[in-house]
Amino acid sequence: MKKILIAIALFLSFNLAKAQDLVKKIPANAFTVATIKGDNVFKLMFVKDFNESFVGKKLLTETSKSLDKSFTSIEDFGINLEKNMYYFNQLSDSITYNCFLIPIKDAKKFENLIDSKEKKFTQQGDIRTMVLPDSTSIIKWNNNMLYFVTGSIKGSFFADSVKSARYGIKDIRFQSDDAIVADSAAVAVDSAYATTDEPMVEAVDAPVVEKVKVRKKSTAKKNTKKTVGTKKTGKKKTAKKSKKVARIDSDFEEAREFAVDTASAMTPVHGIVDEQYDTYQQERLEQDAKKKRLAFTWMIAQADQIFTGSYESIENNKSYTASLDNKAIAELWVSSLQDVYNSISPEFGAYGKAGLMKGYGSLNAKLFMDDKSFRISTGLELAQEQADAYKKIMNRKLNKNFLKYVNSEKALGFMSYSIDTKAYLEEFPKLMKQTYGSLLGGKMDEEIDLGTELFSLLLDEEAVSKVIKGDALFVINGLNTKDVTYTTYEYDDDYKQKEIVKTKKETLPDFLFMFSSEDHRLINKLIKYGVNKNYVSVENNIYKVLEKKSPIDIYFMIKDGIVFFGNSLTEMQGISNNQYNSNKLSKLHKQLLSKNNFSFLFNAKNLVGKVPDSEIGGEETAKKFNSTLEKMGNVYMKSNPIKGRLVSADISAEIPNGHENALKYLFSLIENAAK
Amino acid sequence: MKLKQFYKLLLFIVLIPFLSSCFEVIEEIAMKNDGTGDVVLTINLSQSKTKVASVMLLDSVQGYKVPSKQKIQQELNEAVAYLRKSEGISNVKSTSDFNNYIATISFSFKDVSNINNITKNILAQQKIKATNTSSYNYNKATKTFSRKYQAIGTAKTEFNKLKAKDKAVFNGATYTSIYRFESLVTSSTNPASNVSKSKKAVMLKSSIMDLINGKINVSNSIQLSK
């Protein structure tokens, strides 16, 4: 019974905490959401520790100095540090909003922070608003949250004269008298705009979602040609065309033609070019100011909406909620790559509709820090079809026999990958078609089909996959020193030069590259050809590439269904005689290699002191080099298995011993770098 | 897998991190009492031949384009052609050894002042700004051989603009100048220079880093016995 009660209490408190989270204030159609999780951050480092850290002290003294106040703790800023802070943006066809939502603990403290003579804020109920100079952004807050918004108008939207006219904004270009007639028409509409706020509210209430927008774009495109942006170098042809349009417009608006504002009226109809240019400049400035005012009105409405409106929150977006992780310190979510591409593509022109990113869904990245490492985890949602294709391709594990040849005690690093060659060759044409088919706008569908068929016909996927199965491992098992000769000079009593040959030690990494192969016939034929043509020499089944230009020797051989390449003869001989020292694979390395389709690891520690000072460039450089390496833990990357439609990969960097956790280590790094 | 590409990648991973190399630049001038003489210029990258050979296989390294063997040979030939046309210069020869990466240019001059602008002009031809002004003079009457050298201030600042990685290339590089005479040397003013046992030659060895930084000046005035 007690347990149940506790469970209910926990559940309630969890819900309560969630209810207070500002995420509910983020609209469902937010495009990007970034989160910094205050509670997780300050679990790693207490606020007190932060204040006393180098970064914290710097932040506090700098803020104190610039605001002429005295802060001793970041808590003095009035921000609730135990809660999540958010950034999100919202896109529509006409404006982009960049917004921050920050939890407030003590509004008085926050007001104290921003309070100054020049900056005043207004209060309505418990909502306070401050407009930043130049009216480009707004800060709004109450006792629980702070909202910062800045908006930027999209040029492409106002290049569409029909749309811009709705907001009394006209497209200005540098041209002669006829334009003035056209101007008057637009100005007339302007006056109409002044009497009604409706269009703005409409735009704010329903920020247009991407899909709708793309459709709208087609009309916009036609018009952009006629009314070339705000460029002053309107080409003659376009200018003429637009004059025509302008005339029609002006006929249409004949009745209002007298509503010409004074600025246009003052413009001499047959003035000299300079004067016209000045007018043009002035008008352009006016239009820009109008756009800015419009953006400001929209921003105010948007901010009000966040505080008082009711709307669907991003919490209801499954893609978003699925991307979250309780343990992350920071998170980033982008609604869909396809949408990102489409949203910027109008600026790309005709390629906009191509949908190059078709099949790629939302993207997310998460940052983790704990007592052992930093980790960044990234994920990408695929369309079902694509995900299925990748699943087939990824359906292979690394050859277990490869693991024998990794010596974790010495290895500087490795890289492995395993894919199913057959599946890859079969799926590859489909994936290509999906990506490039849309790029060509469906014009070449037949040709692409033909190409992919031909590809399958020419290649026997099964046969190829027997020669190269699709898994490979590249490993550097330490460094090796060898003697190298070089020429230098000696001088006798008369300083006569004498050429002499000296030897020196050179350190080179020993690498080993291997891939699985079932069918050696082709490779054997190639080798035979190489031997006959003296490109390759052979001794005890180990082949040596005879390439004079190569600064290192390269050996290769085939053994137990594995093709090996390497630059150390001893290593190759060891493998050949089954004497290669195995069983030195660490648990981490084994996991990385055997569980993932792709893995990469760099172990800097195994490099410390292994390279002679003389080769790094002197003792001093070597010391720095080694101490940097010593501080580095393992750095590794891996791909995760596909889950549902999500492909993901992780990058981790271990922190060295003697540091409590990754965040504190990061702070110590910053402190060291600043010294 | 494209083997060549793989190979290049491999070299890149394996060798580039340690791209500090040793190379020698040697300048030898043999003066006769009548004011004529011979010059041998040598650049020897043999100590770094593994690295050079690797770099030569790459298209570019650290953002610099790597010249091909043909290009290097061509530039050497251009330098020779230029020398042949220069006043007072004769007997121009060059050698190049692409196994050990050693190249030499040798020639004779009528008067040592003939060579004063040569290096600068050759560098200018290759669109490289000279990093110093250097001039030689031999006074037959007083039997004094002198070299005036002035590092250009901008050389150091330009050099300091390079990335640390690029600067490291010059670590361990040396410059040696040897002046040889028919008469005995009675004095040599540069304290860093050494007079040979036979008293007929003067040598000065310095690191290229010290030259660039202006730590060492190779100016010298050598008095020969009359």
Side-chain angles (χ1 to χ4, degrees):
Chain A
M1 189 63 198
K2 220 178 179 181
K3 271 183 187 167
I4 296 171
L5 274 177
I6 291 172
I8 293 172
L10 267 175
F11 179 70
L12 280 178
S13 65
F14 174 70
N15 251 3
L16 203 67
K18 203 177 176 189
Q20 283 170 347
D21 196 292
L22 296 179
V23 70
K24 68 172 195 289
K25 287 286 174 192
I26 302 175
N29 62 4
F31 191 64
T32 311
V33 180
T35 316
I36 295 178
K37 298 191 154 182
D39 51 346
N40 284 351
V41 173
F42 289 101
K43 247 181 232 164
L44 294 176
M45 185 176 234
F46 296 123
V47 173
K48 190 175 146 270
D49 292 341
F50 177 85
N51 292 333
E52 280 162 12
S53 73
F54 174 79
V55 180
K57 272 185 195 155
K58 189 115 190 159
L59 178 76
L60 290 168
T61 50
E62 290 294 315
T63 334
S64 301
K65 223 201 270 169
S66 69
L67 296 172
D68 204 16
K69 279 169 188 143
S70 154
F71 298 104
T72 51
S73 165
I74 43 163
E75 282 177 320
D76 292 346
F77 298 162
I79 291 168
N80 191 337
L81 300 168
E82 279 120 49
K83 285 200 187 137
N84 298 348
M85 295 177 208
Y86 294 94
Y87 158 84
F88 67 91
N89 66 10
Q90 238 183 329
L91 308 181
S92 76
D93 57 350
S94 45
I95 189 165
T96 303
Y97 300 108
N98 288 300
C99 323
F100 292 87
L101 272 168
I102 292 162
I104 290 281
K105 194 175 198 177
D106 189 336
K108 281 271 158 335
K109 278 186 180 166
F110 172 71
E111 279 152 27
N112 180 41
L113 177 74
I114 55 162
D115 190 32
S116 70
K117 274 170 203 160
E118 308 96 61
K119 296 177 199 157
K120 286 275 174 252
F121 59 86
T122 56
Q123 185 158 1
Q124 264 188 324
D126 71 337
I127 300 172
R128 281 138 275 185
T129 310
M130 189 166 93
V131 176
L132 294 190
D134 209 25
S135 304
T136 48
S137 14
I138 299 166
I139 305 177
K140 230 174 157 68
W141 69 97
N142 59 22
N143 291 330
N144 299 315
M145 68 167 188
L146 164 89
Y147 183 62
F148 172 93
V149 58
T150 174
S152 58
I153 289 268
K154 279 201 174 172
S156 53
F157 180 78
F158 290 100
D160 177 345
S161 62
V162 176
K163 283 181 188 164
S164 52
R166 253 170 76 200
Y167 303 105
I169 288 166
K170 56 186 167 171
D171 200 34
I172 307 281
R173 109 191 43 75
F174 183 47
Q175 57 181 29
S176 56
D177 53 334
D178 289 47
I180 293 158
V181 185
D183 284 352
S184 63
V187 174
V189 182
D190 186 15
S191 64
Y193 144 77
T195 56
T196 168
D197 295 337
E198 242 175 42
M200 290 173 284
V201 178
E202 185 187 274
V204 175
D205 278 351
V208 189
V209 193
E210 294 315 312
K211 278 170 199 159
V212 185
K213 193 201 75 199
V214 176
R215 243 180 273 137
K216 271 188 177 178
K217 218 54 231 172
S218 60
T219 37
K221 210 142 286 153
K222 274 177 213 155
N223 284 310
T224 22
K225 266 194 183 160
K226 289 171 198 158
T227 52
V228 180
T230 40
K231 271 185 198 164
K232 60 175 183 184
T233 50
K235 279 181 193 158
K236 259 202 169 167
K237 243 188 182 173
T238 12
K240 257 186 194 166
K241 226 181 184 180
S242 63
K243 273 181 218 165
K244 236 183 187 173
V245 178
R247 271 204 190 117
I248 297 162
D249 277 353
S250 65
D251 286 345
F252 189 70
E253 300 279 348
E254 212 171 12
R256 302 192 195 179
E257 216 188 334
F258 299 102
V260 181
D261 72 14
T262 43
S264 326
M266 267 155 40
T267 316
V269 177
H270 297 287
I272 45 169
V273 179
D274 272 357
E275 234 169 288
Q276 281 179 350
Y277 186 71
D278 287 346
T279 317
Y280 152 77
Q281 282 288 26
Q282 196 192 339
E283 286 190 341
R284 217 190 57 170
L285 283 176
E286 272 172 31
Q287 294 309 319
D288 282 350
K290 266 187 203 166
K291 279 186 203 165
K292 224 163 124 185
R293 278 203 298 276
L294 182 61
F296 184 62
T297 326
W298 282 348
M299 266 170 358
I300 287 187
Q302 201 257 13
D304 282 342
Q305 176 81 359
I306 295 287
F307 271 79
T308 52
S310 66
Y311 48 87
E312 199 186 357
S313 130
I314 192 93
E315 279 180 307
N316 296 332
N317 186 323
K318 268 189 194 156
S319 163
Y320 173 71
T321 47
S323 77
L324 303 177
D325 191 311
N326 281 336
K327 287 182 186 139
I329 280 208
E331 289 168 333
L332 172 76
W333 173 85
V334 181
S335 72
S336 134
L337 272 192
Q338 200 174 329
D339 291 354
V340 179
Y341 187 76
N342 287 340
S343 79
I344 48 168
S345 56
E347 269 100 65
F348 287 172
Y351 290 101
K353 276 175 282 179
L356 191 61
M357 285 297 173
K358 206 174 134 201
Y360 296 97
S362 77
L363 181 82
N364 70 71
K366 282 167 283 211
L367 172 68
F368 299 87
M369 291 185 194
D370 56 26
D371 55 345
K372 287 198 181 69
S373 62
F374 297 91
R375 180 160 65 90
I376 293 172
S377 171
T378 55
L380 172 65
E381 241 176 10
L382 298 174
Q384 194 58 52
E385 211 180 317
Q386 231 123 340
D388 289 343
Y390 279 107
K391 258 182 217 163
K392 280 184 208 156
I393 294 171
M394 301 299 200
N395 190 20
R396 182 181 294 286
K397 289 260 145 65
L398 198 73
N399 188 339
K400 280 213 173 72
N401 290 328
F402 285 2
L403 302 182
K404 278 198 277 187
Y405 306 108
V406 177
N407 182 343
S408 298
E409 283 165 19
K410 275 167 41 187
L412 298 182
F414 58 73
M415 191 164 90
S416 77
Y417 77 89
S418 50
I419 57 163
D420 185 331
T421 306
K422 189 174 164 232
Y424 177 71
L425 292 173
E426 280 167 359
E427 299 296 331
F428 175 75
K430 288 187 214 161
L431 292 172
M432 282 291 114
K433 190 183 158 192
Q434 215 159 33
T435 310
Y436 295 106
S438 55
L439 183 68
L440 298 168
K443 273 181 224 152
M444 290 183 70
D445 271 358
E446 277 183 51
E447 285 88 340
I448 292 174
D449 260 347
L450 208 66
T452 53
E453 284 289 322
L454 202 63
F455 182 80
S456 301
L457 189 76
L458 289 175
L459 275 183
D460 181 350
E461 287 95 349
E462 181 86 37
V464 176
S465 73
K466 278 193 175 146
V467 179
I468 298 168
K469 293 192 76 169
D471 54 345
L473 170 67
F474 175 83
V475 54
I476 296 178
N477 275 330
L479 300 164
N480 208 349
T481 310
K482 65 171 187 175
D483 289 330
V484 198
T485 59
Y486 67 96
T487 311
T488 185
Y489 311 97
E490 253 181 14
Y491 302 94
D492 63 9
D493 288 352
D494 200 19
Y495 288 160
K496 280 243 166 68
Q497 213 179 57
K498 210 173 94 191
E499 237 184 57
I500 51 160
V501 174
K502 278 191 179 174
T503 55
K504 67 167 194 168
K505 298 222 177 296
E506 220 163 47
T507 310
L508 287 173
D510 280 344
F511 82 89
L512 206 53
F513 174 75
M514 58 199 94
F515 66 87
S516 313
S517 172
E518 261 173 32
D519 181 353
H520 309 146
R521 281 174 304 175
L522 178 71
I523 300 173
N524 281 329
K525 269 185 192 162
L526 273 173
I527 293 173
K528 212 172 158 192
Y529 176 81
V531 173
N532 286 341
K533 294 273 170 185
N534 282 329
Y535 295 140
V536 172
S537 72
V538 59
E539 200 176 316
N540 297 327
N541 284 326
I542 298 171
Y543 302 92
K544 184 184 177 188
V545 180
L546 301 171
E547 166 65 61
K548 258 196 243 155
K549 261 199 263 167
S550 172
I552 48 174
D553 294 333
I554 298 218
Y555 302 93
F556 65 93
M557 68 175 177
I558 307 174
K559 189 177 155 45
D560 304 333
I562 303 175
V563 180
F564 291 91
F565 284 85
N567 63 336
S568 158
L569 186 60
T570 18
E571 248 183 19
M572 290 303 245
Q573 283 164 339
I575 295 169
S576 175
N577 306 329
N578 295 319
Q579 284 169 343
Y580 194 87
N581 209 348
S582 53
N583 300 328
K584 285 196 175 161
L585 188 66
S586 72
K587 209 176 147 198
L588 170 78
H589 292 184
K590 191 178 176 179
Q591 268 185 351
L592 271 176
L593 288 166
S594 55
K595 292 210 170 137
N596 305 297
N597 284 95
F598 170 81
S599 72
F600 164 88
L601 176 126
F602 175 59
N603 183 1
K605 270 198 198 115
N606 279 349
L607 197 58
V608 174
K610 299 277 164 62
V611 185
D613 293 357
S614 60
E615 280 187 55
I616 310 175
E619 206 177 322
E620 211 175 299
T621 328
K623 227 181 187 174
K624 267 191 218 158
F625 182 73
N626 284 330
S627 81
T628 313
L629 290 177
E630 250 167 14
K631 278 186 204 138
M632 287 171 70
N634 279 324
V635 177
Y636 54 90
M637 250 192 286
K638 66 180 177 109
S639 67
N640 299 321
I642 300 181
K643 270 187 207 151
R645 294 191 285 123
L646 192 77
V647 284
S648 59
D650 284 9
I651 305 172
S652 309
E654 286 174 357
I655 58 169
N657 293 336
H659 291 270
E660 211 175 307
N661 61 50
L663 184 66
K664 287 195 173 167
Y665 175 59
L666 180 69
F667 271 63
S668 74
L669 281 184
I670 297 172
E671 189 171 345
N672 278 334
K675 266 177 195 167
Chain B
M1 162 128 354
K2 282 181 190 161
L3 209 62
K4 201 179 169 197
Q5 233 120 33
F6 168 71
Y7 193 65
K8 280 185 179 179
L9 181 76
L10 180 75
L11 285 170
F12 205 78
I13 298 170
V14 167
L15 298 157
I16 302 312
F18 323 119
L19 199 79
S20 87
S21 49
C22 300
F23 63 90
E24 296 176 87
V25 178
I26 302 153
E27 177 194 58
E28 233 187 312
I29 300 177
M31 285 293 304
K32 297 200 178 86
N33 282 338
D34 64 0
T36 66
D38 305 298
V39 176
V40 184
L41 299 171
T42 309
I43 177 152
N44 180 352
L45 277 73
S46 162
Q47 275 196 65
S48 316
K49 65 180 173 191
T50 316
K51 278 160 199 160
V52 178
S54 319
V55 166
M56 296 280 285
L57 288 171
L58 302 169
D59 297 325
S60 67
V61 57
Q62 292 176 17
Y64 298 99
K65 203 173 157 26
V66 176
S68 64
K69 190 176 147 182
Q70 286 80 6
K71 180 86 185 154
I72 295 171
Q73 187 64 55
Q74 187 197 332
E75 276 171 12
L76 198 60
N77 293 345
E78 275 170 20
V80 169
Y82 170 77
L83 279 169
R84 285 201 173 119
K85 278 188 282 175
S86 304
E87 201 195 322
I89 305 292
S90 61
N91 203 17
V92 187
K93 280 180 209 147
S94 78
T95 66
S96 55
D97 170 357
F98 282 98
N99 288 323
N100 290 307
Y101 296 98
I102 303 173
T104 65
I105 295 184
S106 62
F107 56 87
S108 308
F109 55 82
K110 265 189 196 157
D111 187 288
V112 75
S113 63
N114 292 143
I115 63 176
N116 282 346
N117 287 317
I118 282 174
T119 347
K120 213 167 120 190
N121 290 342
I122 289 178
L123 288 176
Q125 250 186 352
Q126 307 293 345
K127 301 196 174 63
I128 302 168
K129 255 191 256 165
T131 54
N132 60 66
T133 55
S134 172
S135 68
Y136 299 91
N137 188 45
Y138 178 67
N139 189 329
K140 271 187 254 178
T142 57
K143 286 186 102 177
T144 3
F145 176 86
S146 66
R147 178 178 190 184
K148 279 191 186 130
Y149 172 90
Q150 179 71 53
I152 292 175
T154 52
K156 194 177 162 185
T157 46
E158 287 289 323
F159 181 75
N160 284 332
K161 276 187 209 158
L162 290 177
K163 287 182 220 142
K165 253 198 273 162
D166 295 337
K167 280 187 203 168
V169 171
F170 296 92
N171 278 346
T174 60
Y175 165 81
T176 310
S177 72
I178 299 165
Y179 307 126
R180 217 182 300 286
F181 307 96
E182 288 181 332
S183 309
L184 296 179
V185 175
T186 55
S187 74
S188 167
T189 57
N190 193 318
S193 67
N194 291 310
V195 181
S196 72
K197 263 189 188 170
S198 67
K199 300 260 182 211
K200 278 185 169 178
V202 175
M203 176 154 73
L204 195 155
K205 221 172 182 175
S206 106
S207 87
I208 287 199
M209 284 292 248
D210 287 349
L211 267 187
I212 295 171
N213 289 324
K215 270 189 202 162
I216 273 204
N217 192 314
V218 291
S219 293
N220 205 354
S221 177
I222 296 162
Q223 181 62 53
L224 305 176
S225 65
K226 286 168 194 169

